[in-house]
């Protein structure tokens, strides 16, 4: 004989136990200012006692609001997008919103538009896009999305609703640190060509090199992975016409350091290495990595704040920018004379 299923409490159960109408319970759930504090407290106590959970789908039908934010992210295996996503979820939850997330598995245009249309079909109230790739912004313009939208775009391809870490300034900080140490032959291991962040970091590197009137090594286009950094490092050891490398992210910097050590080079005595992002492991590389820190959690929190401000009609600026920070550790030193 099957055990009898226990019905989950509903809004009318809460109303009956609290001695109020179900409309009053609904007003409490929606933070109405017309409810007396004593009534609100009594209703919330009953909700806690019986374990009532509002049906979001039903509330959306009544209020015509889903209270859901859609998030499009690049591969969540990367530390930055994962950290920003967790912060978005926490910040949205504190404001009474749910988060619906979809991640890109390829950079194909059709896949990007499919993911965006999937989010829009869920009646999300706004979108946060933390996939800073050129094709993503092309897709956003092509679809003519009318929802409130916040993007992470350091080069302001979308000049209406964007938030970013100043990637160009961060790259200039990293390059300037090497120049001030006395390095004159500096190689840049860049990120993938389609990534806006990679473009911005490369631009910052080239601008700083140009301002210092130094010769330029052609930037090497990478793929963000430590394996690629290792491969490039092995190739570079055959030339030795440089004394420092600025890698566009910490993982590629890790691969570089591994390759240089395998080739018998000492980091930083023979070659200095700088990364970008300051992932948690960067302080534990050997040697600990000099890098540019960007606060991914703050990016997530602020993107939600900007989106909700736009939903409320309170947005008063187009582009919000966060400044990065240079973190100097033992992977950089003056070049040998």
């Amino acid at each position: 004989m099957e055990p009898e299923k226990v019905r989950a409490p509903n809004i009318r159960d809460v109303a009956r136990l609290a001695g109020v109408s179900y409309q009053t319970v609904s007003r409490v759930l929606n933070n109405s200012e017309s409810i007396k504090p004593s009534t609100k407290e009594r209703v919330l106590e009953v909700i806690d006692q019986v374990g009532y959970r509002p049906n979001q789908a039903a509330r959306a039908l009544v209020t015509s609001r889903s209270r859901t934010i859609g998030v499009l992210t690049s591969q969540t295996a990367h530390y930055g997008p994962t950290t920003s996503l967790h912060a978005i979820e926490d910040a949205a939850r504190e404001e009474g919103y749910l988060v619906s997330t979809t991640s890109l598995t390829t950079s194909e245009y059709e896949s990007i538009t499919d993911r965006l249309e999937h989010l829009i079909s869920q009646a999300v109230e706004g979108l946060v896009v933390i996939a800073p790739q050129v094709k993503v912004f092309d897709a956003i313009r092509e679809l003519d999305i009318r929802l409130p939208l916040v993007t992470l775009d350091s080069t302001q391809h979308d000049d209406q609703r964007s938030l970013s870490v100043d990637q160009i300034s961060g790259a200039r900080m990293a390059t300037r640190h090497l120049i001030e140490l006395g390095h004159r032959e500096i190689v840049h291991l860049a990120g993938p060509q389609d990534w806006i962040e990679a473009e911005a970091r490369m631009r910052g590197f080239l601008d700083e090199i140009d301002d210092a009137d130094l010769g330029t090594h052609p930037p090497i286009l990478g793929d963000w992975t430590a394996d690629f950094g290792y491969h490039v490092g092995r190739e570079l050891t055959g030339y030795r016409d440089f004394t420092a490398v600025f890698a566009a992210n910490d993982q590629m910097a890790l691969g570089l350091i591994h390759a240089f050590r395998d080739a018998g080079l000492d980091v930083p005595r023979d070659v200095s290495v700088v990364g970008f992002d300051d992932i948690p492991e960067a302080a534990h590389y050997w040697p600990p990595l000099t890098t540019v820190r960007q606060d991914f959690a703050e990016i997530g929190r602020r993107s939600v704040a900007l989106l909700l401000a736009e939903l409320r009609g309170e947005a008063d600026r187009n582009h919000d920018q966060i400044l990065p920070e240079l973190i100097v550790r033992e992977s950089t030193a003056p070049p040998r004379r």
Side-chain angles (χ1 to χ4, degrees):
M1 185 175 178
E2 293 186 3
E4 184 179 351
K5 293 182 179 179
V6 179
R7 178 178 62 83
N10 59 38
I11 193 170
R12 293 184 183 277
D13 295 326
V14 173
R16 176 173 51 80
L17 292 170
V20 298
S21 68
Y22 76 87
Q23 292 95 334
T24 297
V25 177
S26 178
R27 293 189 188 100
V28 170
L29 292 171
N30 287 291
N31 295 315
S32 172
E33 296 180 358
S34 65
I35 302 298
K36 293 180 180 179
S38 58
T39 303
K40 180 177 181 179
E41 183 178 357
R42 186 166 72 252
V43 170
L44 291 176
E45 285 179 355
V46 171
I47 288 173
D48 184 59
Q49 289 170 5
V50 303
Y52 171 63
R53 295 294 180 268
N55 185 314
Q56 293 292 335
R59 289 179 67 182
L61 287 173
V62 173
T63 65
S64 298
R65 295 186 60 189
S66 66
R67 296 195 70 82
T68 301
I69 295 171
V71 179
L72 177 68
T73 179
S74 56
Q75 294 184 27
T76 52
H78 294 156
Y79 169 76
T82 300
T83 305
S84 293
L85 179 58
H86 289 166
I88 287 170
E89 290 172 341
D90 290 343
R93 189 180 303 112
E94 289 176 3
E95 295 289 342
Y97 280 79
L98 299 175
V99 173
S100 178
T101 305
T102 186
S103 60
L104 298 174
T105 55
T106 75
S107 59
E108 296 297 324
Y109 183 82
E110 292 76 12
S111 176
I112 296 168
T113 56
D114 177 70
R115 294 292 190 274
L116 286 168
E117 288 173 341
H118 169 72
L119 288 172
I120 294 169
S121 71
Q122 296 183 40
V124 296
E125 294 186 24
L127 289 172
V128 176
V129 178
I130 51 176
Q133 295 164 259
V134 174
K135 289 182 180 178
V136 172
F137 289 92
D138 290 342
I140 289 171
R141 283 190 291 270
E142 181 69 24
L143 291 175
D144 191 24
I145 295 173
R146 302 299 178 90
L147 292 172
L149 172 71
V150 171
T151 65
L152 305 187
D153 179 7
S154 57
T155 53
Q156 301 187 50
H157 283 75
D158 175 7
D159 59 5
Q160 294 183 346
R161 300 151 295 195
S162 55
L163 164 73
S164 72
V165 172
D166 190 340
Q167 307 286 334
I168 295 174
S169 291
R172 296 193 70 140
M173 289 178 192
T175 309
R176 189 181 311 124
H177 170 66
L178 293 171
I179 294 171
E180 289 175 347
L181 286 172
H183 293 279
R184 295 296 177 264
E185 300 293 336
I186 306 170
V187 172
H188 178 47
L189 175 52
Q193 191 171 20
D194 183 54
W195 284 69
I196 293 169
E197 292 174 341
E199 175 191 339
R201 293 172 197 177
M202 185 190 303
R203 184 192 304 175
F205 166 77
L206 293 173
D207 286 349
E208 195 66 29
I209 290 291
D210 186 60
D211 284 356
D213 199 23
L214 297 179
T216 305
H217 291 263
I220 303 166
L221 298 182
D223 66 0
W224 299 132
T225 67
D227 283 345
F228 191 89
Y230 182 83
H231 170 73
V232 169
R234 296 293 288 181
E235 291 290 321
L236 287 174
T237 54
Y239 297 96
R240 294 299 307 278
D241 57 350
F242 63 96
T243 62
V245 182
F246 165 42
N249 76 334
D250 291 346
Q251 286 91 342
M252 291 194 296
L254 171 62
L256 286 168
I257 292 172
H258 184 188
F260 292 153
R261 293 179 69 87
D262 278 358
L265 299 179
D266 183 273
V267 176
R269 287 195 302 164
D270 295 317
V271 58
S272 289
V273 178
V274 180
F276 204 110
D277 288 337
D278 194 29
I279 63 174
E281 297 82 5
H284 305 287
Y285 288 2
W286 188 251
L289 182 65
T290 294
T291 185
V292 177
R293 175 181 295 164
Q294 49 179 339
D295 191 338
F296 292 107
E298 178 62 16
I299 292 169
R301 289 188 292 268
R302 200 176 294 187
S303 65
V304 171
L306 285 174
L307 184 63
L308 295 185
E310 187 167 349
L311 282 169
R312 298 170 184 140
E314 300 170 355
D316 59 357
R317 62 185 303 177
N318 291 330
H319 186 76
D320 194 9
Q321 198 160 63
I322 302 170
L323 292 176
E325 178 185 5
L326 179 69
I327 306 299
V328 179
R329 300 191 180 103
E330 291 90 334
S331 69
T332 53
R336 284 183 174 180
R337 300 298 181 186

